[in-house]
Amino acid sequence: MNILKLLENTNYTIAYLLPISIIAGSFIADLSISLIGIIFVIISIVKKNFQYFFSTPVIFFWIWCAYLLVNSLFSNNILLSLESSLFYFRFGFFTLGIWYILDNNHNFKKNFLFILICIFIILFFDGFLEFFYGTNLLNHEYNNQRIQSFFGDNQVIGSYLARLLPLMFALFYSEFPKTNKSILFFMFLLIGTDLLVYLSGERTSFFIVGMVSICIIVLTSKYRLIRLATFFISASLILLVTYNKDNIKERMIDHTIQQTNILEEESNIFSERHESFYRTSFNIFIDNPLFGIGPKLYREYCDDKDYSVGKSCSSHPHNTYMQLLAETGIIGTLPVIFLFFYICYVFIRQIYSNFFTKHKFYNDHLICLYIALFVTLWPFMPSQNVFNNWTSILYYLPIGFILYEHSKQSKEDNGKD
């Protein structure tokens, strides 16, 4: 076996294990995606194949990375800011690495789906075990609020399941055998995901699952009835659990009403703390509208009396757009806003084609991949740190699949000419 084949097989293996690496923690996950990117670059140099680096969306990403780097160099805390921006380009290499793997390993999607399904089933077993019996396979104890499962104190099982759900749905559409047994099995996976995300106590993740479900029902054609049916079954089970489990009702309903103050005349944006984050971020943005204060520096400015509103200090302001506006200014935020509106345009075209024409704008597989990106960019919900390694991996993974699908479609269109 030559060195090139060895590198490719190594990359395939690392990519297959990525769903497990993400569970293992931020360091292992970041190491995995960095290796995928590095090996991809080496293979590209050896093959003298640089076409992946220069597609239009990729070029815009390189420009944005360069902007983040320059922004950090002109910030008031260069070293801290560079922790986020200096190697941010690795997510681009990771995305291109996934694209390359999909181009050169025609079994990758099917095998990746198999591994993803296995991980979901294991998480179902462990998560439900922790909820109903008080402890999981790793002897983590349920605290009556949040399920830990294999994620430990990070308590992000809901985020993991919710953000990978549209990718799994996309791969099911393109790779899974369409038999009655397989469809029933997949319905079980959807219901299990809905219920476990709700029981996890992660309200944002549960909102994401709801958004994914609505998008699939409205935007896809072949499997919208499957999602609609499982959605109602899941809703019934969730109501049943909420009625019988006071701790779930307290966490998901009572606590939400209390935080948002939604029953009063003056409600909060998610919570009083979140509103403080957003007002402080906006004050920072108003004072630094073009370039912001530099990536990762919200934590340095949040207690400044000129900006601070209430209890506003944290590592980040818990909203993608407010963080980008405060830390990168309007120049750094506009590319993300344009991307979000482009996805909205895709969805509008898809709805029109589904209901008014016989020609589909995009197939269900690609639309599900766009849904994964859409829920990441949805502006009206709390979010993780934009520059967090673990979160960014879940954000960028579907993009590699999207780039591959567009490249594949372009090749097919050119072949028809």
Side-chain angles (χ1 to χ4, degrees), residues 131-132 240-250:
F131 178 79
F132 288 106
L240 183 64
V241 171
T242 303
Y243 179 78
N244 288 283
K245 294 286 186 178
D246 291 338
N247 61 308
I248 293 296
K249 178 178 178 293
E250 180 183 352

Side-chain angles (χ1 to χ4, degrees), residues 221-232:
S221 56
K222 194 168 184 179
Y223 293 113
R224 64 161 61 111
L225 292 179
I226 291 176
R227 179 67 280 207
L228 191 61
T230 56
F231 183 80
F232 280 113

Side-chain angles (χ1 to χ4, degrees), residues 129-394:
L129 183 70
E130 181 177 333
F131 178 79
F132 288 106
Y133 292 96
T135 184
N136 74 340
L137 295 174
L138 297 181
N139 210 31
H140 293 148
E141 294 185 359
Y142 179 54
N143 63 3
N144 286 323
Q145 292 287 321
R146 303 280 290 272
I147 293 175
Q148 298 183 62
S149 187
F150 298 111
F151 298 88
D153 293 337
N154 291 327
Q155 298 178 333
V156 289
I157 184 175
S159 181
Y160 180 93
L161 294 171
R163 295 191 182 280
L164 288 177
L165 176 62
L167 176 59
M168 186 173 70
F169 208 105
L171 293 175
F172 171 81
Y173 175 80
S174 65
E175 303 300 322
F176 221 62
K178 307 307 184 289
T179 64
N180 290 335
K181 288 183 178 180
S182 66
I183 290 174
L184 285 173
F185 173 72
F186 191 66
M187 291 176 70
F188 159 77
L189 288 177
L190 293 175
I191 295 168
T193 301
D194 294 339
L195 186 57
L196 186 54
V197 170
Y198 182 74
L199 297 180
S200 74
E202 298 174 47
R203 291 169 292 177
T204 298
S205 298
F206 183 62
F207 177 76
I208 289 173
V209 167
M211 284 186 63
V212 170
S213 301
I214 292 171
C215 287
I216 288 173
I217 292 168
V218 173
L219 295 169
T220 64
S221 56
K222 194 168 184 179
Y223 293 113
R224 64 161 61 111
L225 292 179
I226 291 176
R227 179 67 280 207
L228 191 61
T230 56
F231 183 80
F232 280 113
I233 294 172
S234 298
S236 301
L237 292 174
I238 286 169
L239 288 174
L240 183 64
V241 171
T242 303
Y243 179 78
N244 288 283
K245 294 286 186 178
D246 291 338
N247 61 308
I248 293 296
K249 178 178 178 293
E250 180 183 352
R251 168 69 184 174
M252 301 300 288
I253 298 177
D254 297 343
H255 192 49
T256 300
I257 293 173
Q258 180 185 0
Q259 281 192 321
T260 58
N261 211 24
I262 197 171
L263 299 180
E264 305 298 330
E265 291 185 9
E266 295 185 8
S267 58
N268 298 317
I269 304 175
F270 305 118
S271 73
E272 185 177 349
R273 187 86 189 275
H274 283 93
E275 189 158 335
S276 296
F277 292 149
Y278 303 156
R279 291 182 182 277
T280 300
S281 300
F282 185 73
N283 290 339
I284 295 172
F285 164 68
I286 290 298
D287 205 33
N288 307 269
L290 288 180
F291 307 109
I293 55 177
K296 203 176 180 178
L297 294 189
Y298 173 84
R299 68 193 70 194
E300 295 283 291
Y301 285 75
C302 58
D303 61 350
D304 190 306
K305 59 181 176 60
D306 293 331
Y307 306 126
S308 179
V309 177
K311 297 179 180 179
S312 59
C313 257
S314 178
S315 59
H316 61 99
H318 293 79
N319 180 273
T320 296
Y321 295 88
M322 297 311 299
Q323 181 179 359
L324 287 173
L325 285 171
E327 296 186 346
T328 69
I330 192 65
I331 293 177
T333 310
L334 276 177
V336 179
I337 294 175
F338 286 148
L339 178 57
F340 175 74
F341 277 109
Y342 172 73
I343 298 173
C344 291
Y345 162 76
V346 168
F347 285 0
I348 292 170
R349 287 287 302 273
Q350 184 73 6
I351 291 172
Y352 179 80
S353 67
N354 278 350
F355 292 98
F356 299 103
T357 69
K358 294 182 179 180
H359 174 70
K360 296 179 69 173
F361 184 58
Y362 285 143
N363 61 44
D364 288 355
H365 171 70
L366 185 53
I367 284 296
C368 287
L369 293 173
Y370 270 114
I371 290 172
L373 194 53
F374 177 75
V375 296
T376 290
L377 298 177
W378 179 253
F380 307 112
M381 67 178 181
S383 64
Q384 297 293 326
N385 187 343
V386 174
F387 302 107
N388 176 272
N389 297 344
W390 189 89
T391 305
S392 294
I393 294 168
L394 291 175

Side-chain angles (χ1 to χ4, degrees), residues 93-106:
F93 289 146
F94 160 63
T95 299
L96 297 182
I98 294 296
W99 180 4
Y100 177 87
I101 290 170
L102 289 165
D103 257 344
N104 292 274
N105 184 343
H106 301 301

